[in-house]
Amino acid sequence: MNVFEAVRTRRSIRKYLEKPVERDKLLRVLEAARLAPSAVNRQPWDFIVVTDPEVKRKLGAAYPRDWFVNAPVIIVACANPAKAWTRKDGEEYWKVDVAIAMQNLVLAAWEEGLGTCWIGAFDEQEVKKVLGIPREIRVVAMTPIGYPAEEKGPVVDRKPLEEIVHYEHW
Amino acid sequence: MNVFEAVRTRRSIRKYLEKPVERDKLLRVLEAARLAPSAVNRQPWDFIVVTDPEVKRKLGAAYPRDWFVNAPVIIVACANPAKAWTRKDGEEYWKVDVAIAMQNLVLAAWEEGLGTCWIGAFDEQEVKKVLGIPREIRVVAMTPIGYPAEEKGPVVDRKPLEEIVHYEHW
């Protein structure tokens, strides 16, 4: 699947088959995250792969949705702000770095026939408690991964290009 | 080019041919950004496309590099934090949203044979002044776009998977 097709057809999947995700596919998807660019190549990221039903159940306390808890795999994308590059005016880039890696993962998963769903609305402290994530680490996003049990057409609910693109100046 | 191949071979390009970027390719690349997911589908992004040599020259004040200023196209990716979703604990997601869209753009560009380079180390106030960007808007990243005038092999300088992936818990 080419890049544009992946971008155009990728949808947030909130229903998954019980079918497990093959290890080689999972590794390939993680590899796509690993290869991402980051500010000054600091790679300030860690990914936690959760497949144990008991751990997934506990994670449900941070994001109580059945489709999330029952997905075959959950990926938790973390940042280490202390390892990340910061602009000299103090602007932090760890969210950007981890988002780039996660979007690589999401698109690579889609190419493998696997659905994902960017999740931000979780209880971060609860995620950290359940997974034993150190105090200095931040959880940027989570996604379930699995074979989609729902079919969706290409993305349509976006603003038109004319609304979001400016030429030469704002 | 499939997604994984794009992820694996994409490199930051800092030398561009003088050859202009065709309008249909540029629109396709912007379309890839437009189609990105964002928290609660707020799409809190704007993209400024700069091709005018005089405007590019002025942008050089914010990021003084010849390869940047002389690239055929510069894209400036902006966020509107007031339009973006914020988690109930106050955590902001506008950097994540714009980073997702920008990475879509970067990978779609690579597929079109176009190089890019994520830039974060710019003087944000200077960019805003040169492009007339409103006070409430933030500049998240910039990238030049153009045909590469340098050849680079696939990504190699990344931490191994074992260093960044944890299973079941941290």
Side-chain angles (χ1 to χ4, degrees), chain B residues 128-139:
Chain B
K128 293 179 69 168
K129 196 173 77 179
V130 170
L131 301 179
I133 297 171
R135 182 187 296 264
E136 71 275 16
I137 302 297
R138 297 298 309 273
V139 182

Side-chain angles (χ1 to χ4, degrees), chain B residues 115-158:
Chain B
T116 59
C117 184
W118 273 91
I119 295 171
F122 49 82
D123 178 329
E124 185 175 359
Q125 291 315 313
E126 194 63 35
V127 174
K128 293 179 69 168
K129 196 173 77 179
V130 170
L131 301 179
I133 297 171
R135 182 187 296 264
E136 71 275 16
I137 302 297
R138 297 298 309 273
V139 182
V140 176
M142 302 198 291
T143 184
I145 303 187
Y147 287 95
E150 59 177 341
E151 282 214 35
K152 287 177 158 185
V155 176
V156 291
D157 56 346
R158 296 290 186 273

Side-chain angles (χ1 to χ4, degrees), chain B residues 28-92:
Chain B
R28 196 167 166 89
V29 157
L30 291 164
E31 178 75 358
R34 184 183 81 88
L35 295 172
S38 55
V40 194
N41 197 26
R42 292 286 184 86
Q43 311 164 60
W45 46 54
D46 282 272
F47 299 89
I48 307 177
V49 177
V50 179
T51 55
D52 184 273
E54 184 57 20
V55 182
K56 288 191 286 182
R57 192 188 61 74
K58 286 182 184 161
L59 262 186
Y63 189 71
R65 306 286 188 287
D66 285 345
W67 57 268
F68 171 71
V69 170
N70 295 324
V73 180
I74 294 171
I75 304 278
V76 180
C78 304
N80 185 338
K83 284 192 186 166
W85 177 79
T86 301
R87 202 162 63 194
K88 61 183 175 188
D89 64 5
E91 200 61 44
E92 297 186 305

Side-chain angles (χ1 to χ4, degrees), chain A residues 20 67 76 112 147:
Chain A
W67 58 267
V76 180
E112 300 289 345
Y147 288 94

Side-chain angles (χ1 to χ4, degrees), chain A residues 105-160:
Chain A
L105 178 152
V106 160
L107 293 174
W110 193 250
E111 170 161 275
E112 300 289 345
L114 296 164
T116 58
C117 185
W118 273 91
I119 295 171
F122 48 82
D123 179 329
E124 184 175 359
Q125 292 313 314
E126 194 63 34
V127 175
K128 293 179 69 168
K129 196 172 76 180
V130 169
L131 301 180
I133 297 172
R135 181 189 297 264
E136 72 274 16
I137 303 296
R138 298 296 311 274
V139 182
V140 177
M142 302 198 290
T143 184
I145 303 189
Y147 288 94
E150 59 177 339
E151 283 214 35
K152 288 178 157 183
V155 176
V156 291
D157 55 348
R158 296 290 186 274
K159 297 175 190 172

Side-chain angles (χ1 to χ4, degrees), chain A residues 2-165:
Chain A
N2 72 31
V3 172
F4 192 82
E5 204 55 18
V7 163
R8 192 179 73 85
T9 60
R10 181 221 59 88
R11 297 297 303 275
S12 295
I13 298 300
R14 295 187 180 83
K15 286 183 189 169
Y16 296 96
L17 300 178
E18 283 188 35
K19 182 180 174 186
V21 174
E22 297 86 344
R23 188 172 161 74
D24 63 320
K25 290 196 178 189
L26 184 57
L27 286 175
R28 196 168 166 85
V29 157
L30 290 164
E31 178 74 358
R34 183 183 82 86
L35 294 172
S38 55
V40 193
N41 198 26
R42 293 284 184 89
Q43 310 164 60
W45 46 55
D46 282 272
F47 299 89
I48 307 177
V49 177
V50 180
T51 56
D52 184 271
E54 184 57 18
V55 183
K56 286 191 285 182
R57 192 188 61 72
K58 286 182 183 161
L59 261 187
Y63 189 73
R65 307 285 188 288
D66 286 345
W67 58 267
F68 171 71
V69 170
N70 296 324
V73 181
I74 294 171
I75 304 278
V76 180
C78 305
N80 186 337
K83 282 192 188 167
W85 177 79
T86 300
R87 201 161 62 194
K88 61 183 177 188
D89 63 5
E91 200 60 44
E92 297 186 306
Y93 269 77
W94 50 272
K95 281 183 186 171
V96 170
D97 291 339
V98 173
I100 296 171
M102 191 71 153
Q103 183 64 0
N104 273 7
L105 178 152
V106 160
L107 293 174
W110 193 250
E111 170 161 275
E112 300 289 345
L114 296 164
T116 58
C117 185
W118 273 91
I119 295 171
F122 48 82
D123 179 329
E124 184 175 359
Q125 292 313 314
E126 194 63 34
V127 175
K128 293 179 69 168
K129 196 172 76 180
V130 169
L131 301 180
I133 297 172
R135 181 189 297 264
E136 72 274 16
I137 303 296
R138 298 296 311 274
V139 182
V140 177
M142 302 198 290
T143 184
I145 303 189
Y147 288 94
E150 59 177 339
E151 283 214 35
K152 288 178 157 183
V155 176
V156 291
D157 55 348
R158 296 290 186 274
K159 297 175 190 172
L161 218 45
E162 307 80 65
E163 244 179 71
I164 63 169
V165 176

